[in-house]
Amino acid sequence: MYQPHFSIAQIAAQEYLSEADIRLLLSLEKPRDLEMLFQIADEIRQYYVGDEVHLRGIIEFSNLCRRNCDYCGLRHANHTIVRYRMDEIEILQAIERIYQSGISTVVLQSGEDLHWSRSRVSELIKEIKRRFPLAITLSLGERDADTYRDWFEAGADRYLLKIETTNPAIYKKIHPDCDYQERVRCQKDLRQIGYQLGSGFMIGLPGQSIDDLAKDIYHLQEIGADMAGMGPFIPDSNTPLAKDEAGAAEMTLKAIAASRLLTKVTHLPATTSLETLSPGGRLLALKAGANVIMPNFTPMKYRKNYAIYPKKAGVSLSPDALLEKIKTEIDAAGRTIAQNPGHSLRSQWRVMSKR
Ligand code: 5AD
Ligand code: SF4
């Protein structure tokens, strides 16, 4: 007797999933099981966060990085890419385009570039807030608590710092100059200071098991992530992991669906890395629990140099063209674009569930 359908529905009906439940969901392989998982995740998404898709305009304003993460094309030791740093004027111009497009969040992302000092970033945040009624997400890597506090007080609303993997051995191996405990310290400081916290991880890292992924998903709940970006690992020829296999699109979709079932209200982006690995993947993610898309507003002349991984989807499309494409996908998924900043819904969920 073929039973998995029954257990998927049973798992999904629970208010709180266990790590073992997540493992089971990630192990599903039969097409009709997957269909059922994605459909249930879509329903849960609709119930808890509605049909609106939140757009976050991202500006990759510096590709300089002091770190050497084994998977990333921006790693310090990679001398094959041209390094760039946008200045305040260019950044504010790119933000103007985001604002004119009707998007209400700007994500400022860079490598770990200490040239963008605590005070310089603070001044930039204040200037953005003076000029635009936008929510600001920072994604600038690891800094000390005082710096994070300063930026929060300057007006930053959210911070994206992914855990990448919760397996300490893998973390150590692929981050020759980072420390797992320090990463967790940063996430805890960010939460405690009051940021809405974005975490997330890569799918299909060398040596990563389903067990590890279940722990990664569970960690989202433990750390209290308001947002979680999940994308497949894509090998880059200019990194030590050049010869490793890419992560799987299907496993990425399962991870998104399982994260929706576990966390209910967390903002889950349909990531560019998934679209890169598997064109059409962004739309599938929207139908498997995702509710956020991050269109790229980095000026065209810098785009190709923000080479985290090769052949990034949409890299040659102008912001307007990329936005059009994304709008078509949102339409195809039967969804609408949110007209509000899309702040975290976790506090409401905690009130709803009396936690
Ligand atoms: N494949 C997929 N994602 C990657 N990232 C970095 N390198 C890769 C890669 N090769 C992601 C990481 C990091 C963000 C900057 O991009 O999750 O947090
Ligand atoms: Fe730098 Fe981030 Fe790439 Fe690591 S993942 S090398 S910190 S840009």
Side-chain angles (χ1 to χ4, degrees):
M1 179 71 183
Y2 181 62
Q3 284 247 323
H5 281 182
F6 181 60
S7 44
I8 300 168
Q10 245 190 352
I11 288 172
Q14 301 172 106
E15 199 174 356
Y16 304 110
L17 277 68
S18 68
E19 214 175 284
D21 293 332
I22 305 278
R23 265 197 305 275
L24 194 149
L25 297 176
L26 295 176
S27 311
L28 295 173
E29 280 180 352
K30 294 201 167 73
R32 56 179 175 156
D33 290 342
L34 295 178
E35 207 178 299
M36 180 162 222
L37 170 63
F38 299 153
Q39 193 188 325
I40 292 174
D42 199 41
E43 284 165 16
I44 303 242
R45 184 271 310 151
Q46 184 174 45
Y47 181 79
Y48 284 98
V49 304
D51 279 337
E52 293 184 331
V53 175
H54 297 285
L55 298 181
R56 323 290 201 196
I58 182 163
I59 302 170
E60 300 149 335
F61 67 92
S62 164
N63 71 351
L64 279 93
C65 188
R66 64 180 168 142
R67 304 280 194 196
N68 275 295
C69 306
D70 274 0
Y71 45 86
C72 178
L74 301 192
R75 65 202 305 275
H76 188 77
N78 179 15
H79 299 298
T80 66
I81 56 167
V82 178
R83 302 284 171 171
Y84 70 88
R85 209 178 254 141
M86 289 167 63
D87 64 20
E88 281 80 354
I89 294 172
E90 290 175 298
I91 295 172
L92 289 163
Q93 279 168 351
I95 294 177
E96 174 82 39
R97 295 187 76 171
I98 292 175
Y99 179 65
Q100 294 300 343
S101 303
I103 294 176
S104 39
T105 296
V106 54
V107 181
L108 293 174
Q109 188 172 77
S110 67
E112 289 207 11
D113 178 4
L114 296 184
H115 187 83
W116 277 93
S117 63
R118 171 174 166 176
S119 60
R120 191 173 173 195
V121 173
S122 284
E123 288 313 310
L124 176 64
I125 294 167
K126 286 183 208 157
E127 187 57 29
I128 296 169
K129 286 285 181 177
R130 259 196 296 274
R131 294 196 193 187
F132 306 100
L134 292 170
I136 299 178
T137 301
L138 300 177
S139 179
L140 316 184
E142 296 182 13
R143 300 281 178 123
D144 60 36
D146 287 342
T147 303
Y148 287 151
R149 196 169 298 109
D150 209 37
W151 294 345
F152 184 73
E153 283 165 6
D157 302 270
R158 312 180 189 133
Y159 205 102
L160 173 57
L161 184 75
K162 298 188 193 176
I163 196 75
E164 311 293 2
T165 172
T166 56
N167 178 318
I170 299 180
Y171 192 94
K172 195 163 184 219
K173 186 162 179 302
I174 62 178
H175 296 108
D177 43 19
C178 293
D179 175 64
Y180 182 76
Q181 291 312 329
E182 180 63 7
R183 194 72 162 186
V184 175
R185 190 277 302 161
C186 287
Q187 289 194 325
K188 288 186 171 159
D189 281 347
L190 289 162
R191 272 230 67 87
Q192 198 261 329
I193 289 165
Y195 284 94
Q196 297 168 46
L197 176 67
S199 184
F201 45 88
M202 278 173 285
I203 316 278
L205 286 167
Q208 190 184 45
S209 66
I210 282 191
D211 243 53
D212 294 329
L213 279 176
K215 288 196 169 69
D216 292 346
I217 292 173
Y218 223 69
H219 187 259
L220 299 175
Q221 192 82 323
E222 284 163 3
I223 200 76
D226 300 285
M227 189 277 242
M230 275 157 265
F233 158 65
I234 301 175
D236 184 285
S237 57
N238 299 313
T239 66
L241 302 186
K243 299 235 148 43
D244 285 279
E245 232 178 275
E250 188 172 281
M251 185 58 84
T252 307
L253 292 171
K254 286 193 273 186
I256 292 172
S259 302
R260 174 60 67 207
L261 262 51
L262 175 71
T263 68
K264 321 292 189 205
V265 295
T266 306
H267 288 308
L268 300 176
T271 52
T272 304
S273 54
L274 177 58
E275 182 69 20
T276 302
L277 180 80
S278 171
R282 198 163 39 210
L283 176 58
L284 294 180
L286 279 185
K287 293 176 167 179
N291 71 322
V292 171
I293 297 184
M294 298 164 74
N296 194 337
F297 279 78
T298 307
M300 297 306 285
K301 63 175 171 177
Y302 298 125
R303 286 280 184 89
K304 67 174 189 317
N305 295 322
Y306 205 80
I308 292 178
Y309 48 76
K311 302 195 180 78
K312 207 195 275 175
V315 74
S316 59
L317 292 179
S318 71
D320 288 348
L322 179 59
L323 196 57
E324 267 320 298
K325 184 170 191 289
I326 286 170
K327 283 180 176 166
T328 314
E329 290 165 10
I330 292 172
D331 219 37
R335 308 273 281 283
T336 55
I337 294 177
Q339 302 299 326
N340 61 71
H343 286 305
S344 172
L345 297 163
R346 281 188 75 254
S347 50
Q348 277 127 290
W349 160 237
R350 259 178 267 139
V351 173
M352 270 157 67
S353 63
K354 301 196 177 55
R355 282 200 290 174

